[in-house]
Amino acid sequence: MSKIKPSKGAPYARILGVGGYRPTRVVPNEVILEKIDSSDEWIRSRSGIETRHWAGPEETVAAMSVEASGKALADAGVDASRIGAVVVSTVSHFSQTPAIATEIADRLGTDKAAAFDISAGCAGFGYGLTLAKGMVVEGSAEYVLVIGVERLSDLTDLEDRATAFLFGDGAGAVVVGPSKEPAIGPTVWGSEGDKAETIKQTVPWDRFLPHLRLRSGGGTPTGDVSELPLDSEGNVKFPAITQEGQAVFRWAVFEMAKVAQQALDAAGISPDDLDVFIPHQANVRIIDSMVKTLKLPDHVTVARDIRTTGNTSAASIPLAMERLLATGDAKSGDTALVIGFGAGLVYAATVVTLP
């Protein structure tokens, strides 16, 4: 017989509050067109994006996260000192260590909360939500703060016609806590690493080491500097996110609709039972195709926050959720299907009750 005491957590978990932060600078398509051969009409028709938000120098990953988290805590009516864990999903925090979650936990005033980052791209919020649910039910934390935050403008190649218009910045956060009834369904998640090349960073960080050594005049180059990407003036470019648009589109439309249906089935929910659909805000055409494939009824509210926010990766679902609730397009207690998918390729889908 085991000598280990069983854990004692809540019977179920739920999202108790949501908050978002969008940088103050609004960037219209006309700004993007300064460096690519395209048009406003083409960008809108291909992606649905009209504007996006780009962070200024003071709107760091940590600063945006603190703002969004403060709103989520207030919405939930939970003091930061009661947060037992802070989970941050991001691909745009550029310090390898420590995790940005530790700084955020401290700035919020938590009582030495567990804090860690995850890297799951656009599915990161779903991954974080699943971890938070497990912590609350298992009993290792009474309340968990889940944050999706990105400064993707730092990872955007403004000369890349395929991606320059896609990305935006922002932070979204939710507080997950105990519930007396099921309010976060089973998660359907996974990865398809054989498709990893379809969305990736253009150049690994270590590829820059020879270039940096040459510039500093120290050491011996250990690689071919000519392999680094160059801008139109011949200068070495900072790494950016690149993707094979058509391959990603086909995968998202056909495969993610199946995953979304699996999440509905796992929760015992039919499309008719849904009130809201909040997919990752990657592309309006992907969203519309998924709605059609899933045969969602007309009464289901569909998040299309991408029009004015762009693709904010891990932040897109909580930002879209926050906006739907703020505008009254969704209401507390609504049943929502959420699904994130992106680089990896990774995905996560579940059904939740809105806070």
Side-chain angles (χ1 to χ4, degrees):
M1 179 177 292
S2 174
K3 298 179 180 180
I4 300 173
K5 292 174 60 177
S7 57
K8 294 182 179 179
Y12 306 103
R14 70 183 304 120
I15 299 174
L16 299 172
V18 60
Y21 179 82
R22 293 171 173 80
T24 56
R25 183 188 177 192
V26 177
V27 180
N29 289 336
E30 285 73 19
V31 172
I32 306 298
L33 297 174
E34 293 173 3
K35 292 192 176 183
I36 61 172
D37 179 19
S38 188
S39 68
D40 178 62
E41 189 280 330
W42 186 88
I43 293 175
R44 292 182 187 229
S45 65
R46 298 289 292 181
S47 68
I49 298 174
E50 302 167 9
T51 60
R52 74 285 290 146
H53 295 256
W54 283 356
E58 302 302 317
E59 293 169 313
T60 62
V61 167
M64 292 190 293
S65 297
V66 169
E67 289 291 330
S69 298
K71 295 176 182 178
L73 289 166
D75 190 43
V78 175
D79 190 84
S81 62
R82 301 184 69 187
I83 294 295
V86 177
V87 182
V88 178
S89 178
T90 185
V91 298
S92 45
H93 169 54
F94 294 150
S95 292
Q96 192 70 39
T97 191
I100 195 62
T102 59
E103 177 183 341
I104 295 166
D106 179 65
R107 289 176 60 173
L108 287 171
T110 67
D111 184 16
K112 300 180 181 179
F116 58 95
D117 298 351
I118 58 175
S119 178
C122 306
F125 175 75
Y127 276 48
L129 185 64
T130 303
L131 294 173
K133 172 187 173 183
M135 284 185 264
V136 171
V137 173
E138 187 270 342
S140 59
E142 184 179 12
Y143 298 99
V144 180
L145 185 63
V146 179
I147 303 166
V149 57
E150 301 293 2
R151 272 184 57 118
L152 293 182
S153 58
D154 292 336
L155 287 168
T156 298
D157 181 354
L158 294 178
E159 295 181 342
D160 180 3
R161 188 173 185 270
T163 60
F165 58 90
L166 284 175
F167 302 119
D169 302 336
V174 298
V175 176
V176 177
S179 174
K180 295 180 180 179
E181 60 185 15
I184 301 175
T187 300
V188 177
W189 58 354
S191 66
E192 297 185 34
D194 59 319
K195 300 179 179 65
E197 292 295 305
T198 56
I199 306 176
K200 63 180 182 179
Q201 183 173 303
T202 50
V203 182
W205 300 116
D206 60 0
R207 193 77 62 80
F208 278 78
L209 290 176
H211 174 68
L212 294 173
R213 287 170 179 151
L214 283 176
R215 285 177 60 87
S216 65
T220 301
T222 58
D224 186 357
V225 180
S226 65
E227 293 180 359
L228 296 177
L230 306 176
D231 63 21
S232 57
E233 298 178 355
N235 300 310
V236 173
K237 288 184 179 182
F238 192 72
I241 297 173
T242 185
Q243 68 176 26
E244 298 174 15
Q246 287 302 314
V248 173
F249 181 88
R250 288 192 297 270
W251 176 77
V253 168
F254 296 108
E255 297 303 321
M256 291 306 97
K258 298 176 186 177
V259 171
Q261 183 61 57
Q262 290 170 14
L264 289 174
D265 295 342
I269 296 292
S270 74
D272 289 337
D273 297 321
L274 278 181
D275 300 303
V276 185
F277 178 42
I278 310 177
H280 164 49
Q281 302 294 292
N283 182 304
V284 163
R285 292 190 302 144
I286 291 175
I287 295 171
D288 291 344
S289 295
M290 291 181 69
V291 169
K292 183 178 180 180
T293 302
L294 289 168
K295 298 179 180 179
L296 296 184
D298 291 340
H299 75 262
V300 176
T301 297
V302 180
R304 294 186 176 87
D305 190 45
I306 189 172
R307 297 189 188 281
T308 56
T309 305
N311 180 342
T312 56
S313 188
S316 77
I317 290 176
L319 279 174
M321 182 185 296
E322 183 260 355
R323 174 159 282 174
L324 287 174
L325 290 166
T327 59
D329 292 322
K331 63 183 185 299
S332 175
D334 279 353
T335 300
L337 169 64
V338 299
I339 179 170
F341 46 86
L345 295 170
V346 294
Y347 54 86
T350 188
V351 176
V352 303
T353 300
L354 294 183

